[in-house]
Amino acid sequence: MEVTEEVQLHTTGNHRDQNSNKIRKLERYTRWIRIGFYALFLVCGQSAATLLGRLYYDKRGNSKWMATLVQSAGFPILLPLLCFFTQPTKSSPKQPNFLTFAFICFAFGVLLIGDNLMYSYGLLYLPVSTYSLLCATQLAFNALFSFFLNAQKLSPYILNSLVLLTVSASLLALNSESDPTTHSSKGKYIIGFICTLGASAAYSLYLCLLQVCFEKVFKGETFATVLDMQIYPSFVASCGCVVGLFGSGEWRGLGDEMRGYGEGRVSYVMTLVWTAVAWQVSSIGLLGLIFEVSSLFSNVISTLALPVVPILAVMFFHDKMNGMKAMALVLALWGFVSYVYHNYLHESKAKATLQSATDINAV
């Protein structure tokens, strides 16, 4: 009798283990499907926003503050998501007090203003293919900031990625005089080059500080918290851009800019609107990847637009892909692959450790 009960208990335990394994596999598959959709949103949104931003300048748009404003002004389309995900749960992280939260949102908003403004100058003064390749340096900045702020170890693969991305950026710096698609003077090219590098550094710092806030201030990540950290800083950044637009006097020329826009007034408005929408689609992908994986992984995925934008720039804006720029593209892609391979090894090691711990507990 006792033997029969033991057999029944053992059989029941096996069924439970099998069911739990099936549930874990299903959760893993659905999680990777969500990650795939978020990555698609990020890459497509970022690519479309970059090309539309270049189109704005090519069709005689000239307001740097307007180009900066549309990068953050589309945040209202995220409000329905915020309303849907704001129901508190037992797993919700503890919220900081109002003054702390307000200061964090204000600081991130100011950082976004500087970041977006530098991106606007870079996109104005550089060919879009050069601009996109330079944006790949955000991986290198992310590795450095993650080392100091997020305790990220610098493996040989990350160091290899840093070197390759640095060499790639150096080749683009030497390419200013030989690039036939550079319509700016050498001085403006240098300004665009420095601003794009500065924007890449600011963007990487933004993501790393965001991760620090989730770990130290919010004590965890929920999608509602991630949305908060996108919407409220974007609101601060939009207000700051409006102040800059009026303070610089650029608002006086918006009427003439609309009338002189190459494709007409309706096209002018639609270009700005869809640029704002594209940036928010990109933000949804970015937020989802931060929530599902980490800010580091989201930055890696954002560089997947690296080979996409230069190719589209050649097709739509007739950028020339000369030898030095092609070499920079290859080196940047090599650096990206090295970075991704590091993450793959890290994930594999973590899975192996977790599996061995599970096996020990089972015994």
Side-chain angles (χ1 to χ4, degrees):
M1 189 70 178
E2 292 180 358
V3 174
T4 304
E5 289 180 353
E6 288 180 3
V7 171
Q8 288 177 345
L9 290 173
H10 182 70
T11 304
T12 303
N14 287 337
H15 283 309
R16 287 177 180 173
D17 291 340
Q18 289 176 359
N19 289 333
S20 62
N21 287 334
K22 289 180 180 179
I23 292 173
R24 280 197 296 268
K25 285 183 179 179
L26 181 61
E27 289 177 347
R28 192 182 305 120
Y29 290 145
T30 54
R31 176 174 177 265
W32 278 108
I33 290 173
R34 290 197 303 270
I35 289 174
F37 276 111
Y38 289 141
L40 185 65
F41 285 170
L42 177 55
V43 172
C44 292
Q46 184 173 288
S47 301
T50 301
L51 293 173
L52 287 170
R54 183 67 239 182
L55 179 67
Y56 167 75
Y57 286 130
D58 276 6
K59 299 300 179 180
R60 294 195 290 277
N62 196 43
S63 174
K64 272 78 70 178
W65 280 108
M66 177 58 74
T68 303
L69 175 62
V70 296
Q71 295 181 51
S72 57
F75 71 89
I77 69 174
L78 299 178
L79 292 176
L81 288 176
L82 182 63
C83 295
F84 181 77
F85 285 100
T86 48
Q87 290 83 4
T89 62
K90 293 181 180 180
S91 61
S92 298
K94 183 180 179 181
Q95 296 293 325
N97 61 59
F98 175 77
L99 288 178
T100 302
F101 183 73
F103 173 77
I104 290 173
C105 290
F106 179 79
F108 275 109
V110 172
L111 182 60
L112 281 177
I113 294 172
D115 178 46
N116 294 342
L117 185 61
M118 286 189 289
Y119 271 133
S120 297
Y121 272 95
L123 197 55
L124 174 62
Y125 292 143
L126 295 177
V128 68
S129 55
T130 303
Y131 164 88
S132 179
L133 290 172
L134 275 177
C135 288
T137 57
Q138 70 192 37
L139 271 182
F141 289 117
N142 204 135
L144 290 175
F145 290 134
S146 294
F147 175 75
F148 291 107
L149 298 175
N150 307 121
Q152 172 75 34
K153 294 182 179 179
L154 293 179
S155 70
Y157 295 105
I158 289 184
L159 291 175
N160 180 57
S161 178
L162 291 175
V163 172
L164 291 171
L165 291 169
T166 302
V167 174
S168 175
S170 301
L171 288 177
L172 293 174
L174 298 172
N175 190 51
S176 60
E177 294 183 358
S178 60
D179 192 347
T181 56
T182 303
H183 303 296
S184 305
S185 64
K186 185 177 181 180
K188 289 183 177 179
Y189 185 97
I190 293 174
I191 292 173
F193 186 92
I194 294 174
C195 285
T196 305
L197 284 180
S200 297
Y203 181 73
S204 299
L205 178 62
Y206 169 80
L207 291 181
C208 291
L209 289 176
L210 197 61
Q211 183 115 8
V212 170
C213 283
F214 286 138
E215 294 172 355
K216 305 296 184 182
V217 181
F218 297 102
K219 306 296 183 182
E221 294 180 20
T222 66
F223 199 69
T225 306
V226 176
L227 282 174
D228 285 339
M229 292 308 297
Q230 170 66 20
I231 291 173
Y232 295 116
S234 293
F235 173 73
V236 173
S238 299
C239 292
C241 290
V242 170
V243 172
L245 184 65
F246 282 89
S248 65
E250 287 187 359
W251 67 275
R252 297 189 183 92
L254 292 181
D256 293 335
E257 183 176 285
M258 183 184 295
R259 285 188 291 271
Y261 195 70
E263 302 297 327
R265 298 184 182 186
V266 175
S267 179
Y268 176 83
V269 174
M270 295 305 293
T271 299
L272 294 178
V273 169
W274 284 109
T275 302
V277 170
W279 278 119
Q280 293 310 308
V281 170
S282 173
S283 296
I284 291 173
L286 179 74
L287 295 171
L289 290 176
I290 291 175
F291 177 67
E292 293 287 350
V293 190
S294 68
S295 62
L296 181 63
F297 183 80
S298 67
N299 206 348
V300 172
I301 294 300
S302 70
T303 58
L304 278 175
L306 169 66
V308 176
V309 175
I311 294 172
L312 293 177
V314 172
M315 293 171 58
F316 294 109
F317 297 102
H318 308 294
D319 279 12
K320 301 298 182 183
M321 187 63 70
N322 58 28
M324 193 170 289
K325 195 181 290 186
M327 178 88 56
L329 175 61
V330 171
L331 289 174
L333 284 172
W334 186 4
F336 169 75
V337 170
S338 179
Y339 207 93
V340 170
Y341 187 65
H342 159 79
N343 284 301
Y344 168 76
L345 292 178
H346 180 73
E347 287 288 328
S348 300
K349 185 178 180 181
K351 285 181 181 179
T353 303
L354 180 61
Q355 185 63 40
S356 61
T358 304
D359 294 341
I360 291 173
N361 292 331
V363 174

